[in-house]
Amino acid sequence: MQQIINFIVRNKNFLLYVLLLIISLVFTVRSHSYHQSRFFNSSNWITGNIYETSHGISSYFGLTKENKRLVEENKMLRDLLFNKKTNTPVELDTANIRYTIVSGKVIKNSYSDPRNYITINIGKKDSVQPDMGVITAKGILGIVENVSNKFATVQSILNENSNINAKIKNTDHFGSLIWDTQQYNTAQLVDIPRLVPLTIGDTIVTGAMSSIFPENIPIGTIKKFNLDTSNSFYYIDVALFNDMTNIKNVYIIDNINRPEILELESNTVTNDQ
Amino acid sequence: MISSSYFINVVRFTLLVLVQVLVFNRLNFFGFINPMVYILFLYWYPIKENRAVFIGLSFLLGFFIDFFSDTMAIHAASTVTIAYLRPAIMRFVFGVNYEFQSFRLGNATRAQQITFLALLIIVHHMVFFALEIFSLANILLILKKVLAIGLSTLVLCLLFSSLFSVRKE
């Protein structure tokens, strides 16, 4: 016993080091596997408020550009509205609403790591929940991962864990959108079968398989495509519409039917077993 | 005297965390270079303090950076590693005489200071990017990042350390 205590006292620094190293490795490896259980993320109160303060100062510098972008988006939406074939006034029947949208602002963005997260300034208080889709006026951005009262972190599509259902516009050939961690303006679309005719410049949009994003949200255009190692699927480089380095206003999409879809899917799985 | 050294370390800790997350994490020079200047805390920290406290503080420092940058606990792991290895690195750079009472970092030669800082940075970045990328297949990418980011960290840390030089006591 005496010897054990002596050993501990003699090597206390080393033991402390090993202990702390193991703690941090456990946290790191755990969040590699379960993406929902990250304890430390910038959506908490302290970091959120610091980022919000810094954003409050720096956001003044881009106001003109941001206003211009918003006006352009409004113009596009008005175009859509005026050129709709039916000339009935816009109906707002709650039975027809499938998605609700909240808007937020990015207060922290990163795009140079293998796993990038974006922090936004709305949270539980504004009824943001994990697994909601996040988009900008130009296209898809990511999926909400952690939520605190006032803030939320978003797993960006520039994240090696990201995996989003996507398809080629105007067809029903779908695949998964992933990121190979190389370039911040390019993501990869995989699992598109070889028989699909592709051309460089084709538009990629979100698919209908996802319960998170509505169908047909723009993602990017095909920049380059090759067959993958199995020679039966394409490996497609997608040039993203979004400039991931410069994002201010985002929209968070809540699919009202999502709980029902999930419940149904889990019932189906349990019935199968 | 003791309370002022505590005070200086607390201020340093806070300022370095803030500068790191609000300025240097957003630099993205050439798209991926974000220097990690918070390593200066370990460079400046008094030599004769309790080692266990130092290791604990370094862990906390890395942890705060992780909090802000959503990097799980990679910063914490790499910072605590260099905190543990610091005495060994110092013995290597300054020889045995760093253990004497009269030794001060400010009295060492410029070359020694730079070597000390560079070794801290290299070890830190090796651990950091090995954990971040987490695959041996990408060893070239790891080396590229260690080299590019390490160099920028070193330059910035040297600039900072000459701006806020340790007082010759």
Side-chain angles (χ1 to χ4, degrees):
Chain A
M1 193 62 204
Q2 187 67 39
Q3 281 190 333
I4 296 176
I5 293 175
N6 274 341
F7 174 79
I8 292 177
V9 170
R10 230 180 319 122
N11 291 316
K12 68 173 194 305
N13 288 327
F14 179 69
L15 291 175
L16 178 69
Y17 164 62
V18 171
L19 178 79
L20 292 177
L21 189 67
I22 288 176
I23 291 177
S24 42
L25 287 184
V26 165
F27 285 143
T28 309
V29 174
R30 273 186 70 126
S31 24
H32 268 289
S33 36
Y34 314 96
H35 80 118
Q36 283 300 339
S37 64
R38 298 183 330 111
F39 302 92
F40 312 106
N41 58 72
S42 53
S43 74
N44 63 60
W45 185 83
I46 306 173
T47 52
N49 277 304
I50 291 180
Y51 275 135
E52 172 126 52
T53 315
S54 115
H55 170 78
I57 298 165
S58 59
S59 64
Y60 284 104
F61 298 107
L63 278 183
T64 327
K65 242 186 223 163
E66 196 53 33
N67 273 338
K68 210 169 152 193
R69 209 180 303 174
L70 291 176
V71 169
E72 258 163 36
E73 190 193 353
N74 274 343
K75 182 179 142 278
M76 188 200 76
L77 293 175
R78 292 233 175 244
D79 275 351
L80 277 181
L81 199 65
F82 292 144
N83 295 325
K84 255 184 104 178
K85 283 186 190 103
T86 51
N87 42 12
T88 48
V90 188
E91 278 177 42
L92 273 182
D93 183 356
T94 43
N96 289 335
I97 292 182
R98 284 186 54 205
Y99 298 99
T100 55
I101 290 177
V102 246
S103 70
K105 281 203 173 75
V106 171
I107 53 173
K108 176 235 156 191
N109 184 14
S110 84
Y111 50 88
S112 57
D113 303 331
R115 284 173 292 275
N116 292 300
Y117 291 91
I118 295 164
T119 312
I120 52 177
N121 70 345
I122 51 173
K124 255 182 235 155
K125 226 175 54 186
D126 314 276
S127 64
V128 173
Q129 300 292 333
D131 284 333
M132 286 184 177
V134 182
I135 61 168
T136 70
K138 284 186 188 159
I140 188 173
L141 188 65
I143 295 171
V144 175
E145 186 160 313
N146 290 286
V147 183
S148 72
N149 232 353
K150 275 173 65 188
F151 305 99
T153 52
V154 178
Q155 185 191 65
S156 153
I157 45 172
L158 300 185
N159 187 311
E160 55 180 19
N161 297 330
S162 159
N163 191 338
I164 290 166
N165 182 261
K167 65 172 192 179
I168 296 152
K169 198 178 180 181
N170 296 330
T171 68
D172 280 321
H173 297 293
F174 61 86
S176 307
L177 188 79
I178 55 167
W179 189 49
D180 66 357
T181 72
Q182 299 299 324
Q183 281 173 299
Y184 58 77
N185 51 11
T186 316
Q188 279 69 35
L189 180 64
V190 294
D191 293 343
I192 298 274
R194 186 181 182 162
L195 53 94
V196 179
L198 292 179
T199 353
I200 285 176
D202 278 357
T203 309
I204 308 291
V205 294
T206 52
M209 308 266 291
S210 151
S211 59
I212 295 175
F213 289 104
E215 210 180 338
N216 291 324
I217 290 185
I219 295 174
T221 56
I222 296 183
K223 191 159 127 190
K224 201 177 85 186
F225 56 87
N226 299 103
L227 287 173
D228 68 1
T229 40
S230 69
N231 265 340
S232 45
F233 293 101
Y234 280 119
Y235 187 85
I236 304 171
D237 276 349
V238 182
L240 299 170
F241 285 132
N242 256 329
D243 177 5
M244 297 298 285
T245 62
N246 184 7
I247 300 163
K248 292 245 166 66
N249 287 292
V250 296
Y251 304 102
I252 292 91
I253 305 170
D254 179 17
N255 185 350
I256 289 174
N257 297 330
R258 182 173 153 84
E260 201 177 327
I261 296 174
L262 288 186
E263 197 194 328
L264 192 63
E265 279 174 356
S266 69
N267 282 344
T268 323
V269 171
T270 40
N271 287 345
D272 282 349
Q273 280 162 355
Chain B
M1 184 57 218
I2 289 172
S3 66
S4 96
S5 123
Y6 273 130
F7 178 72
I8 283 185
N9 277 317
V10 169
V11 170
R12 241 179 229 164
F13 190 100
T14 333
L15 281 184
L16 279 174
V17 169
L18 287 180
V19 164
Q20 179 66 45
V21 298
L22 294 181
V23 180
F24 289 105
N25 271 358
R26 300 182 174 181
L27 212 55
N28 293 311
F29 192 53
F30 288 135
F32 70 100
I33 297 184
N34 292 330
M36 303 179 197
V37 291
Y38 68 92
I39 296 178
L40 273 176
F41 180 78
L42 286 91
Y43 175 73
W44 276 333
Y45 195 81
I47 299 157
K48 272 129 211 138
E49 295 289 320
N50 186 342
R51 241 184 111 190
V53 175
F54 175 55
I55 292 178
L57 266 181
S58 311
F59 180 73
L60 218 62
L61 174 71
F63 222 58
F64 268 99
I65 308 275
D66 281 324
F67 251 131
F68 279 97
S69 37
D70 293 295
T71 41
M72 302 163 298
I74 310 179
H75 282 287
S78 40
T79 317
V80 83
T81 305
I82 50 171
Y84 176 69
L85 292 178
R86 195 176 83 147
I89 296 178
M90 291 188 100
R91 199 165 302 130
F92 174 75
V93 176
F94 303 117
V96 277
N97 64 346
Y98 93 93
E99 279 158 9
F100 295 136
Q101 268 314 314
S102 56
F103 179 79
R104 299 244 178 271
L105 197 59
N107 297 344
T109 62
R110 195 85 188 126
Q112 280 178 324
Q113 290 177 4
I114 295 176
T115 324
F116 174 44
L117 189 57
L119 280 175
L120 283 182
I121 291 171
I122 288 173
V123 176
H124 176 275
H125 284 28
M126 284 298 255
V127 177
F128 182 85
F129 289 110
L131 282 176
E132 186 186 56
I133 295 165
F134 215 70
S135 85
L136 274 183
N138 290 321
I139 190 109
L140 273 180
L141 181 68
I142 296 180
L143 287 179
K144 184 189 111 186
K145 281 199 161 187
V146 169
L147 212 70
I149 299 176
L151 205 66
S152 65
T153 310
L154 182 65
V155 170
L156 274 165
C157 284
L158 286 176
L159 287 180
F160 265 91
S161 70
S162 46
L163 256 183
F164 308 98
S165 62
V166 186
R167 269 170 302 144
K168 299 230 162 64
E169 290 164 71

